[in-house]
Amino acid sequence: MELLRRFAESIRKRQETMLGFPVNLDFDFHSLADFLSLHLNNAGDPGQASEYGIDSKPFEQAVVDFFTDLAGGVPGEVSGHLAHGGTEANLFAAYVGRERYPDAVLYASAEAHYSVPKMSRVLRLPHVPVETGADGDMSLDALAHELGQRSDRPALVIATIGTTGRGAMDDIPGIRRVAAETGVPGVFVHSDAAFGGALAAFGRPPRPWALADGADSVSISGHKIIGSPVPSSVVLARAADVRAIRQPGAAVGSDDDTIAGSRDALSPLLLWFALRRLGRDGLARRVGHCLEVTDHAVRRLAALGRRPSRVPGGNVVLFDLPADDVMRKWHLLNEDDRAHLVVMPHVTADHVDRLCADLS
């Protein structure tokens, strides 16, 4: 117990200067501690009871319903569940897309999440990285060129809504338009909104990111803007596409239309609890806070001559590399020889000011 206590304290200490990664540390789930003494397992479809029966599926359904509404989905036409993180969610979406178009080619921004090449290998899909523009978003001209080179093959396009490196957002309506213009025989668009979904939904101004904007599937992380001690991701897809991969009765009496089968049942409770407290207005306030502190960071770093840069409306700031000890202390990443600061809900103007004091 003493070893665990010291380990927990060391983590708390390190969290005090966490500025370089897109995780939100502003949460408190002590009131849910009782669930750590229960064995919950959400096996299979969250909308169906299983023979195991000790699960949190009603809470999972409520979380899925919240995000279906946020993403502009039509109830009954959207199927969703909680995955263990962004990589599993992206894999699920690509799997569903591949089943619709078995001979598809996978296209994604050259700055897309590192899971994209991995899932292309897992699913045996040819992968084409697409060049990005000045802000790091997918170049539609480059996409048109790549689609034109393979105009006889359907396209499975991963649109990144909030790249890890710069927070860039790909243009989903533009992707749809380019695919139509190039005449590919079919297109499936997945919105990887793990990082930027909330920023797109509640930003200044809002950006297209969702089912209502032309995406066939959407994923958004629970441990980022919302905040959770457990990595998770909500993944939504057209119900008709999900039915095509469903295995009836496979998961202890429940149909299985997931990658994992047996799934984490604690995350639905955590996200349900957080969303009941926050709601849409609370998420919007969190996004507003992030953008205000990002504005502050840009001003302070500019005053120090650190040449900060930022994608319009984003919460990622790149600036001239500081000394290695400052990089380590503040958990800053090296992004193409620039320091990488991510303003998440737990980051305050005081954090930025203390960082700037170390840079002075």
Side-chain angles (χ1 to χ4, degrees):
M1 289 305 298
E2 179 60 20
L3 172 63
L4 293 172
R5 187 197 65 76
R6 291 199 308 269
F7 178 61
E9 187 57 35
S10 72
I11 297 297
R12 290 190 192 97
K13 186 67 175 175
R14 279 182 274 175
Q15 286 190 160
E16 292 174 4
T17 53
M18 173 57 73
L19 297 188
F21 289 79
V23 294
N24 175 20
L25 305 180
D26 180 19
F27 57 80
D28 183 354
F29 294 104
H30 281 90
S31 54
L32 301 187
D34 283 349
F35 291 100
L36 294 178
S37 63
L38 304 174
H39 183 86
L40 300 168
N41 188 329
N42 286 10
D45 188 321
Q48 297 181 5
S50 73
E51 293 165 348
Y52 179 66
I54 304 175
D55 56 51
S56 65
K57 286 187 176 184
F59 294 88
E60 182 177 15
Q61 292 174 62
V63 171
V64 166
D65 289 347
F66 178 92
F67 282 104
T68 298
D69 183 62
L70 185 66
V74 178
E77 297 181 8
V78 177
S79 179
H81 66 276
L82 261 69
H84 296 97
T87 295
E88 184 189 325
N90 285 342
L91 177 63
F92 174 82
Y95 171 39
V96 166
R98 189 201 65 181
E99 294 304 285
R100 190 202 288 184
Y101 298 119
D103 58 340
V105 175
L106 175 64
Y107 300 86
S109 151
E111 297 194 23
H113 192 257
Y114 68 85
S115 65
V116 172
K118 184 192 306 184
M119 68 194 192
S120 77
R121 294 193 297 272
V122 170
L123 295 172
R124 302 289 186 184
L125 284 168
H127 170 222
V128 178
V130 180
E131 292 180 2
T132 60
D135 285 335
D137 55 330
M138 182 188 292
S139 165
L140 295 180
D141 288 341
L143 177 63
H145 172 76
E146 297 293 355
L147 291 174
Q149 296 290 102
R150 305 160 186 84
S151 59
D152 60 331
R153 302 276 296 273
L156 199 170
V157 184
I158 307 296
T160 306
I161 306 300
T163 60
T164 304
R166 289 190 268 179
M169 297 189 185
D170 294 339
D171 180 356
I172 291 175
I175 290 169
R176 283 271 175 206
R177 184 182 69 253
V178 166
E181 291 170 352
T182 54
V184 293
V187 61
F188 183 102
V189 179
H190 171 57
S191 171
D192 177 9
F195 177 23
L199 287 160
F202 301 111
R204 305 190 298 255
R207 299 280 298 276
W209 69 282
L211 299 169
D213 301 308
D216 294 286
S217 58
V218 172
S219 58
I220 185 167
S221 287
H223 55 290
K224 293 188 168 68
I225 292 294
I226 299 169
S228 169
V230 180
S232 62
S233 185
V234 180
V235 59
L236 310 172
R238 308 288 181 189
D241 288 326
V242 174
R243 283 195 293 271
I245 67 161
R246 182 164 293 155
Q247 298 181 59
V252 288
S254 169
D255 294 348
D256 187 26
D257 45 25
T258 69
I259 295 290
S262 288
R263 295 177 296 106
D264 165 27
L266 180 61
S267 287
L269 296 169
L270 299 172
L271 296 189
W272 179 88
F273 182 81
L275 292 171
R276 287 287 295 178
R277 295 200 312 172
L278 290 168
R280 282 191 179 222
D281 290 344
L283 286 176
R285 285 192 298 272
R286 287 198 158 182
V287 169
H289 164 82
C290 291
L291 297 179
E292 289 171 8
V293 176
T294 305
D295 291 341
H296 178 72
V298 170
R299 289 193 298 269
R300 288 299 316 274
L301 291 164
L304 291 175
R306 290 284 174 172
R307 300 185 304 133
S309 62
R310 168 198 190 186
V311 171
N315 64 331
V316 175
V317 182
L318 302 180
F319 60 96
D320 290 343
L321 284 173
D324 288 347
D325 60 333
V326 175
M327 293 285 287
R328 285 192 298 271
K329 175 180 177 180
W330 293 97
H331 303 273
L332 301 174
L333 293 175
N334 183 330
E335 181 71 24
D336 294 328
D337 292 328
R338 302 267 279 163
H340 177 269
L341 165 66
V342 187
V343 178
M344 297 301 285
H346 70 275
V347 178
T348 65
D350 179 65
H351 284 101
V352 173
D353 292 343
R354 287 190 286 129
L355 167 64
C356 289
D358 286 346
L359 295 171
S360 299

